[in-house]
Amino acid sequence: MVDEKAINDAKERFGDLVRRQLERVEGLKEQGAPVDYSKLDKLIIGVCGGDGIGPYICASAQRVMEFLLADKLKAGKAEIRQIDGLTIERRAEVMKAIPDDTLEELKKCHVILKGPTTTPAKGDPWPNIESANVAMRKELDLFANVRPVSVPELGIDWTFFRENTEGSYALGSDGFFVSDDLAMDFCVATVQGTERILRAGFDHARKTGKNYVSVIVKANIIKDYPEVKHDVWFVDITTAKLIDPARRSDFKVFVLPNLYGDIITDEAAQIQGGVGTAGSANVGSRYAMFEAIHGSAPRMVTEGRAQYADPCSMIKAVAMMMNHIGESEKGRKLEMALDICTQFEKKLVMTGRNTGATGDEFADYIMETMQRPDLEKVWQGYVDAAIAKAKN
């Protein structure tokens, strides 16, 4: 027998959900222009170590960031603030994805460098708390998750723009059980949310000269970019073509909805060398957060080897931050140094154990490489040699 009360309760909850989303749409309509970093008196950078290996790899990356911004920091044009409160212990204590006082401090910053955070799973000793990442994307309206993937010897130079605030994850915490036998979850899409992620991808293609955008949905394309070549791909064939040697080097910029972007960017990171090599930006009109895409690896901490965790993903996130705040030359040098250190010379190797380098030792290696006067010439030489070898 159908439970009419359960149906009515579900209608009420769904109605409240629709109401809140319509209110969010009105906010999107009133959204202002993005922050112009060149007009800031002082750039405020928040650093959140997170938990597990997060504080270790974030500290290594922060050293690289301070090296790159030494002139601005000395001149008072930039300030770094340490922001605590994103540990799983603190979040479990207050039963919130982001403690209120931590969120207040985050909102005082322009950009944030964030280490991995633990999201409890069934069987963990922690209570069921929403992902800190998901909560931060919502609270700071970080609608574009930007992930670059580069493998020069394979001709791969990809940038992914994954929609962060809508799609299949956006309302995860609002799903509910209608009865013991039926659960409902929801996927949300708005005209405004879809348009702004598309514009972000097309603007990037126009600005960088990567004149080719692949949209991984079957939808209408923005017509304001006649000079940018674009096409539409289904997600299943995209996963296949990313590993197709005859096709993959043609791709440049991807725009994807939330769920598809989550899956495909991890596949792309594996082609590059694994999720530990991939940095990520979460960008909105007012705020931007830069992080690794992997987890917090608590086992490395309990086993006493967190200092050997690979900081490359966080250092790559620093390079993305440099590009975002208008320091593109510094970002470019860091990217070249990362290529030389991780793909070509490999004078230090990260193993995650005492058989390899520590994160700080690797950060030193990166900074020393950036200071080479022939950095670009050396990088180009390695790339040319790798391409020639791959062709043979």
Side-chain angles (χ1 to χ4, degrees), residues 3 10 20 23 33 73 97 108 115 124-125 131 136-137 145-146 157 163 183 231 297 306 320 325 328 332 376:
D3 185 341
R20 284 186 280 126
E23 291 170 354
L73 291 168
K108 294 176 182 178
D124 287 350
S131 160
M136 195 177 295
R137 290 164 184 168
N145 179 230
V146 186
D157 184 13
E163 208 292 318
D231 54 17
M320 298 184 71
I325 64 175
S328 57
R332 174 66 175 152
E376 185 162 2

Side-chain angles (χ1 to χ4, degrees), residues 22-327:
L22 288 173
E23 291 170 354
R24 185 177 73 88
V25 168
E26 292 306 308
L28 292 178
K29 292 178 180 178
E30 299 173 0
Q31 198 167 63
V35 170
D36 184 346
Y37 293 96
S38 67
K39 295 182 179 179
L40 295 176
D41 293 330
K42 180 188 288 186
L43 175 70
I44 307 298
I45 304 169
V47 177
C48 298
D51 49 36
I53 63 170
Y56 295 85
I57 62 175
C58 198
S60 297
Q62 182 177 339
R63 292 180 59 223
V64 175
M65 179 176 69
E66 290 173 350
F67 169 77
L68 289 168
L69 294 179
D71 54 342
K72 285 183 175 292
L73 291 168
K74 185 177 180 180
K77 295 293 185 180
E79 176 187 341
I80 297 174
R81 297 180 182 177
Q82 296 291 334
I83 300 176
D84 299 320
L86 283 186
T87 63
I88 185 60
E89 292 84 2
R90 174 61 175 155
R91 290 181 285 133
E93 178 188 342
V94 299
M95 285 301 294
K96 286 190 173 183
I98 304 176
D100 292 340
D101 55 347
T102 302
L103 182 59
E104 183 179 346
E105 291 303 311
L106 289 171
K107 288 184 175 180
K108 294 176 182 178
C109 302
H110 299 106
V111 294
I112 300 157
L113 182 67
K114 176 191 162 294
T117 49
T118 299
T119 301
K122 188 175 182 180
D124 287 350
W126 305 108
N128 184 21
I129 304 172
E130 183 183 30
S131 160
N133 274 13
V134 172
M136 195 177 295
R137 290 164 184 168
K138 291 179 181 177
E139 292 289 346
L140 304 183
D141 195 29
L142 306 176
F143 67 87
N145 179 230
V146 186
R147 296 186 182 181
V149 169
S150 175
V151 189
E153 63 266 34
L154 299 180
I156 290 174
D157 184 13
W158 299 332
T159 306
F160 295 85
F161 283 77
R162 167 192 171 194
E163 208 292 318
N164 248 350
T165 58
E166 300 188 351
S168 299
Y169 295 151
L171 302 181
S173 58
D174 293 304
F176 57 84
F177 279 91
V178 177
S179 70
D180 292 340
D181 303 306
L182 176 63
M184 302 292 289
D185 202 354
F186 306 99
C187 181
V188 63
T190 66
V191 170
Q192 292 76 18
T194 301
E195 180 171 321
R196 67 181 182 176
I197 189 63
L198 282 166
R199 287 194 180 278
F202 274 83
D203 283 340
H204 178 80
R206 172 187 280 171
K207 182 175 68 174
T208 62
K210 295 182 178 181
N211 205 36
Y212 178 24
V213 176
S214 299
V215 183
I216 316 304
V217 289
K218 189 170 177 62
N220 292 332
I221 310 299
I222 295 176
K223 303 299 184 183
D224 297 348
Y225 303 84
E227 76 280 21
V228 178
K229 177 184 176 183
H230 61 264
D231 54 17
V232 178
W233 290 77
F234 290 112
V235 64
D236 47 0
I237 194 63
T238 303
T239 60
K241 291 302 179 183
L242 287 187
I243 57 173
D244 180 357
R247 186 68 179 86
R248 61 188 175 193
S249 62
D250 292 337
F251 291 116
K252 297 301 177 187
V253 180
F254 298 80
V255 180
L256 315 92
N258 205 333
L259 176 59
Y260 295 168
D262 191 7
I263 296 168
I264 286 183
T265 52
D266 278 3
E267 179 195 11
Q270 190 62 36
I271 296 169
Q272 179 176 257
V275 294
T277 68
S280 174
N282 296 268
V283 178
S285 297
R286 170 64 178 83
Y287 302 99
M289 180 264 283
F290 302 84
E291 61 175 348
I293 71 170
H294 56 72
S296 58
R299 181 181 295 180
M300 292 188 70
V301 179
T302 59
E303 293 178 356
R305 52 190 180 91
Q307 69 270 32
Y308 297 103
D310 189 341
C312 285
S313 55
M314 288 297 299
I315 295 174
K316 189 159 288 188
V318 170
M320 298 184 71
M321 180 189 290
M322 294 301 108
N323 293 327
H324 186 73
I325 64 175
E327 297 283 358

